[in-house]
Structures are given as structure tokens and as C-alpha cells.
Amino acid sequence: MVTKVLGILGSPCLRGNTSDLLDAALRGAAEAGAETERLELARMSLRPCMECRKCDSGASCVQKKDDMQVIYSRIRQVDAIILASPIFFMSVTAQTKQMIDRCQCFWVQRYVLKQRIYEGRVRPKGLFISCAGSPKPVVFEPARHVVKAFFAAIDYEYAGEVFLGYTDDPALAPRKQTALEQAETAGKMLFS
Ligand SMILES: Cc1cc2nc3c(=O)[nH]c(=O)nc-3n(C[C@H](O)[C@H](O)[C@H](O)COP(=O)(O)O)c2cc1C
């Protein structure tokens, strides 16, 4: 059976540092034999969670007419997700957070109905990739909590992270090269 990896780009900048790191991780996963797909949230039609609480009983979202349907079905199918978002105001981007909030229905399934989401399969894995302008490593902390909560809600194992800080650095190139290599290795290691 083919292993499937979904890359989700949460950056509105489709060819920036975060995008490059995501592609490196997907390349690593492909080298390890996985079938890969990249979704770009900024090009998708996604609505925010309206807190209608209907998923409290059904464990599914009542909003059926946007591109979350694609993401819902992939979450239930793939073996790993690589979520890539830069840091915007100490957190993930609005596009990323909107997608995460719409996964409250998985949280209900997992923690209220107490059903495993990956039933009958090996537990899927989640890798987090992020970039930030600040040189301080602490800048990634709040987003790390958000993304760990996301992977827990969709019942994925948090398998690691690759961070590239101080992207404003005029001498970024060698550190970026190192981060690209780390991302490629992390993508490969998802199935080691
Ligand atoms: C709206 C906005 C908010 C940002 N907030 C932060 C921040 O809180 N901390 C930080 O270190 N960098 C912040 N940045 C800088 C980005 O994280 C940084 O430029 C990153 O490299 C962008 O990702 P990219 O290189 O993939 O485009 C912000 C950038 C934007 C546009």
C-alpha cells in the first residue's frame, strides 16, 4: 500500500522560505517512497468556524460547501501531514488558524465520543515547519502549542518540527540551506 503525505502550506506567500522548507520535506518523504500532495490554504476557499456547536453531537461540520471538505477527507486518508506556517504576530497565520478551528469536529470525535480517528491503521504523524523574522527561538513557542493541539485533535502523533528563525538576516543563505536539509531529512524520517 502506498504511503500518503499531505503538505499544507499556511503561508499567503506561495514561494517564500516556508514554502521552500515544505517542498524540501515533501521531497524527503517522496524519496522515502511516499506519494505526496501540496495544498495551499491561501488559494482555497475556506470559511471560519462559526461556533454553532452542531459538531458537538455529530462530530462533523455543518459547513459543507467550501474546500474544507478536501482537507477533511485527506486527514482521514493520509499517513502524515506536514503543516507549514510562518509566524504572524506570535502565532500561525490566519489561513492556518482558520483551517485548524474547522477541525473542532475531529476534537469532538476524539475527546467527546472517544473514537480513534485513524481506526484500523498505523497512527498518522504530523510534522510542523515554521519561519519567523525574529532571531529569538522563543518566537516559535505559542505556534508550537497551537500546532500540537491541532495534531492531537486530529489524532496524529506530533513527530517533530523544523524552524528557521531570523529570516530577515541578510546572511540567511547558509542557515536556510541547513534548514532545507533538516526539512528533507525530517520528511524522510516520517517513515523510518
Ligand atoms: C503580518 C505579519 C506578522 C508577523 N509577525 C511576526 C512575529 O510575530 N514574529 C516574528 O518573528 N516574525 C513575524 N513576521 C515575519 C515573518 O514570520 C517572516 O517574514 C517569515 O519569514 C515569513 O515567511 P516566508 O519567509 O515563508 O514568507 C510577521 C510577518 C507578517 C507579514
Side-chain angles (χ1 to χ4, degrees), residues 9 11 16-22 83-89 91-93 128-134 139-140 143 162-168 172 176 179-180:
L9 180 67
S11 177
N17 295 303
T18 313
S19 165
D20 290 344
L21 293 186
L22 174 60
L83 180 63
S85 169
I87 300 300
F88 278 12
F89 281 90
S91 187
V92 293
T93 62
F128 178 35
I129 284 175
S130 189
C131 295
S134 168
V139 77
F140 295 105
V162 178
F163 295 154
L164 175 61
Y166 192 21
T167 52
D168 298 334
L172 175 66
K176 179 169 175 180
L180 286 168

Side-chain angles (χ1 to χ4, degrees), residues 46-190:
L46 300 178
R47 290 183 45 78
C49 172
M50 301 306 286
E51 207 195 349
C52 68
R53 309 300 300 258
K54 298 258 171 57
C55 64
D56 280 358
S57 46
S60 95
C61 182
V62 289
Q63 299 190 62
K64 306 280 186 204
K65 291 190 177 161
D66 68 0
D67 290 338
M68 268 312 289
Q69 317 317 312
V70 177
I71 295 173
Y72 288 145
S73 76
R74 296 295 189 280
I75 287 173
R76 293 187 185 282
Q77 287 164 0
V78 301
D79 304 287
I81 289 178
I82 305 170
L83 180 63
S85 169
I87 300 300
F88 278 12
F89 281 90
M90 298 301 290
S91 187
V92 293
T93 62
Q95 290 85 351
T96 308
K97 187 60 165 53
Q98 179 162 275
M99 184 274 296
I100 290 175
D101 289 352
R102 288 285 301 283
C103 289
Q104 175 68 0
C105 45
F106 287 100
W107 185 91
V108 169
Q109 184 177 346
R110 175 83 183 89
Y111 294 107
V112 179
L113 304 180
K114 305 206 185 304
Q115 295 168 359
R116 302 315 301 231
I117 289 153
Y118 59 91
E119 207 75 74
R121 301 189 292 131
V122 174
R123 190 176 188 199
K125 291 183 177 172
L127 179 67
F128 178 35
I129 284 175
S130 189
C131 295
S134 168
K136 296 180 185 159
V138 72
V139 77
F140 295 105
E141 283 300 321
R144 177 192 273 134
H145 286 293
V146 171
V147 172
K148 280 190 169 180
F150 164 63
F151 282 129
I154 65 171
D155 214 356
Y156 279 44
E157 176 193 339
Y158 190 78
E161 56 207 16
V162 178
F163 295 154
L164 175 61
Y166 192 21
T167 52
D168 298 334
D169 184 356
L172 175 66
R175 283 193 302 107
K176 179 169 175 180
Q177 186 52 40
T178 304
L180 286 168
E181 286 161 19
Q182 286 170 348
E184 190 168 339
T185 303
K188 225 179 258 178
M189 296 297 285
L190 282 169

